[in-house]
Amino acid sequence: MSNVVLSANNRQDSGSAAARRIRRSGRIPAVLYGRAGKAISLDLDALEFTRSAKHISDSTIVKIDVAGKSYDVFVKDTQRNIIDGNILHIDFYEVESGVALRAKVSLLIKGNPAGVREGGVFENPLHEIELECLPKDLPPRIEVDVSALKVNEAIHVRDIPLAAGVKLISSPDQVVALVKFARAEAAAPAAAPAEEAPTAPAEEKKA
C-alpha cells in the first residue's frame, strides 16, 4: 500500500460560493464517498495535495486523517481549471479493510530489449491490468522487465508474476510488450531517366 497521508477538515458549508471561499484560502473542497453510500464533505490543503499527487495513481490507496479518524481511500476524480490547471474539487472513494476490491494497476516497463539491438522494433500496447485483492495486497504499480525480450518474442499478461492473494481479472492473453522485425524500407523509386540535352537548332542555310 501507499504511504501517502493527507490531512483534511470536515466541511460544513456547501455551494459554489463556499467552494470559492475555500479555494481562496488555499484549500480544495472534496467529498469522501463511503462504501455504504454516505458522503462526507471535506477540504484539504491545496499545496499538500499537489505535492502528493505525483505519487498517486488510480490504484494508489491514500490515507486521509479527518478530525482524528483515518480513512483509506482512492482518488476517484479531480476537477481542474481548464485555464490554469489548478485543482477545483476532489472525489475520494473509501476502501474497506478486509474486503476484496478490483482496481487497475499501471505497468512500468523496465530494461532495454535485446531484440532492439538486433534490429527489432519494441512495442508496448498495454499499460495497465485489472486485479482483485485485499487493499493491503494491492500494488501501486507492477514492474515488467523486458531486457531479455528478443525479436519475434512477446510478454503476455499471463507471464506477469503476481503476489499471493492477488487475482488477475484482465485477459491473460493480452500482449504487454513485444519486439518485431522492422518493416523493410520501401524500395527507392527508380531513378528518372536523365533529361536529354536540348538539341541545338540547325544553322540556317545561307542564301
Side-chain angles (χ1 to χ4, degrees):
M1 290 178 61
S2 167
N3 58 358
V4 177
V5 180
L6 301 171
S7 297
N9 298 329
N10 283 305
R11 175 165 55 97
Q12 304 300 326
D13 297 336
S14 60
S16 57
R20 286 194 294 269
R21 286 196 301 271
I22 291 171
R23 296 185 193 109
R24 284 197 298 268
S25 69
R27 300 183 69 80
I28 304 172
V31 174
L32 169 59
Y33 294 95
R35 290 181 63 91
K38 182 181 178 181
I40 304 174
S41 295
L42 309 171
D43 63 71
L44 59 158
D45 184 83
L47 183 58
E48 180 187 27
F49 182 81
T50 301
R51 288 174 175 171
S52 300
K54 65 184 71 174
H55 306 293
I56 299 174
S57 68
D58 291 343
S59 60
T60 302
I61 297 179
V62 177
K63 188 176 293 295
I64 295 184
D65 290 329
V66 184
K69 187 172 182 179
S70 180
Y71 299 87
D72 289 331
V73 302
F74 284 133
V75 177
K76 296 302 292 183
D77 185 46
T78 55
Q79 299 175 19
R80 292 180 178 270
N81 186 307
I82 60 174
I83 297 176
D84 57 23
N86 289 332
I87 298 173
L88 301 176
H89 189 274
I90 308 169
D91 287 339
F92 296 105
Y93 182 76
E94 185 182 7
V95 175
E96 187 175 353
S97 178
V99 177
L101 56 84
R102 288 188 179 187
K104 291 183 178 179
V105 178
S106 299
L107 300 175
L108 178 62
I109 301 299
K110 304 283 287 186
N112 297 312
V116 172
R117 297 191 293 273
E118 300 168 2
V121 175
F122 175 72
E123 293 186 1
N124 171 213
L126 191 66
H127 302 283
E128 62 183 15
I129 58 175
E130 188 173 10
L131 304 175
E132 181 178 273
C133 61
L134 295 175
K136 67 180 182 64
D137 297 324
L138 183 66
R141 68 189 61 83
I142 295 177
E143 294 187 0
V144 180
D145 188 354
V146 299
S147 302
L149 203 58
K150 298 181 179 179
V151 175
N152 284 343
E153 291 185 348
I155 296 176
H156 295 81
V157 170
R158 61 175 173 268
D159 301 320
I160 299 175
L162 299 175
V166 178
K167 178 183 176 182
L168 177 66
I169 301 300
S170 296
S171 169
D173 297 326
Q174 288 181 285
V175 175
V176 175
L178 73 156
V179 176
K180 63 182 183 181
F181 280 115
R183 293 180 179 178
E185 294 183 2
E195 295 184 2
E196 296 181 1
T199 304
E203 294 184 4
E204 295 183 0
K205 293 183 179 180
K206 293 182 180 180

